[in-house]
Structures are given as structure tokens and as C-alpha cells.
Amino acid sequence: KVKNNLISNATGLYGPELERVANNAIEEYYYHIKSVKELVEEAKMIQEYDSNQNKDDVCSEIAKMVQIRIDNPLRLPRIIFMGPPGSGKTFYAEIIAKRYGLILVNTKDLLDKEIGSKSESSEEILDCLLKGKQIRDDIIMPIVKRRLLKTDCKINGWILDGFPMSSAQINLLKMINSKPSMVVILE
């Protein structure tokens, strides 16, 4: 799945280089996910799904749990979608965001926009994406923070796709008072 995902994103990688980047992306994910899972347990609403099951069934199950959060008027839905590359987290995040009117904050889209802006960090971001490496916290965190503090996220709630990937990123969410109300983990 990771290889197909990299190919569909037009990375231009093939053969051994594609294999190396795919393996690197998976290793990065599993290296960071354990500590992130421990930190997000505060959400008390962690749901794990097998991404190899029927997509409609998985989507339906996720939607049921999101509806519980939507029905709670005391707290805006703030949902984190986590999973290794190729697990379908973006696919499900897009569907759920559209269905419930939540703002989808996709780090890949934010990073693409940052690359297009020709900022100081554009070249480093592009290099990391092409090599399947995680973007440094000092680069990604301000970008995500700016997005989450926009009015639409504060009013409608949000779905985070591709963030957090480190304990520092979890702490950023706490610092800006944006702790998740639900975490969806696709394995």
C-alpha cells in the first residue's frame, strides 16, 4: 500500500529507491507512533480499525463513533486520524470531514501549500517528502498551529490527518487548547 501511495503521489520513484523510501516511511511511522499513542490516550476515545477490511464497513464504524462526538454539545469534535502510510487515513478523513462539516487539516496539503509559497523551509520540506522522512517539528508545528487557530477550525471542529507524529506535537495541541476528543487509528 505504501508503494502504491508513493507512486500515485507522483514521486517519480521506482525500483529499489521506491522500496527504500517506502520502508523508511513505515519505519518512521512505527518509531513515533508508540509514544504518540500513549500520549493521546487522554482522549479516552481511541478507536482502532483494520484498514484491510471493506472500506464501506470501516467508514460506517468510524461514522458511528464520530456521531457520538458530534452529539456532545459540550465539546467540539477534534479528531486525529493516525495510521501508517497507505492505511487509508486520508480517504476516511475526507469522507468523515465532509459528512459532518468538520475542517480537514491534512498536513500533506499544508506542506504542499508551504512548498508553493517558496518559504525558507520549502526545499527542506520537499526533500523530506521525496525521501519519506518526517518533517522536523520546528517546521511542521508552526504550520499546523496557524491552521488550527483559524476561525473555521475553532467554530466547526477539525480532523487532523498526518499530525501529531511526536510527543512535541502532542504538547503543541495541549498548549493551544486543542486536545483531541477522539483518535482514529487505522492499522
Side-chain angles (χ1 to χ4, degrees), residues 63-171:
K64 286 178 192 174
M65 297 312 296
V66 170
Q67 187 63 51
I68 291 169
R69 283 294 172 220
I70 299 290
D71 291 341
N72 181 356
L74 300 176
R75 189 166 181 206
L76 279 175
R78 296 177 182 149
I79 304 166
I80 295 174
F81 274 69
M82 302 174 80
S87 63
K89 60 186 173 294
T90 300
F91 171 80
Y92 295 114
E94 288 173 347
I95 290 171
I96 297 298
K98 186 175 181 180
R99 182 180 293 180
Y100 293 103
L102 304 173
I103 304 304
L104 178 58
V105 180
N106 178 306
T107 55
K108 184 181 181 317
D109 293 343
L110 293 175
L111 292 170
D112 286 346
K113 190 181 277 187
E114 191 72 17
I115 290 168
S117 75
K118 305 282 188 209
S119 70
E120 283 182 31
S121 56
S122 294
E123 284 185 37
E124 184 174 347
I125 292 170
L126 184 58
D127 186 53
C128 286
L129 291 176
L130 290 175
K131 291 179 179 175
K133 292 184 176 179
Q134 187 173 344
I135 308 298
R136 290 190 344 248
D137 286 343
D138 64 312
I139 294 174
I140 190 67
M141 286 172 45
I143 296 169
V144 172
K145 179 181 176 183
R146 277 193 307 270
R147 184 63 189 101
L148 292 178
L149 292 176
K150 288 191 175 186
T151 306
D152 59 347
C153 285
K154 290 181 175 184
I155 291 173
N156 299 310
W158 45 256
I159 292 179
L160 264 176
D161 174 15
F163 189 96
M165 290 294 292
S166 71
S167 56
Q169 293 174 9
I170 287 281
N171 289 330

Side-chain angles (χ1 to χ4, degrees), residues 50-58 92:
D50 180 354
S51 63
N52 293 315
Q53 292 183 1
N54 178 290
K55 285 185 174 186
D56 291 334
D57 294 343
V58 173
Y92 295 114

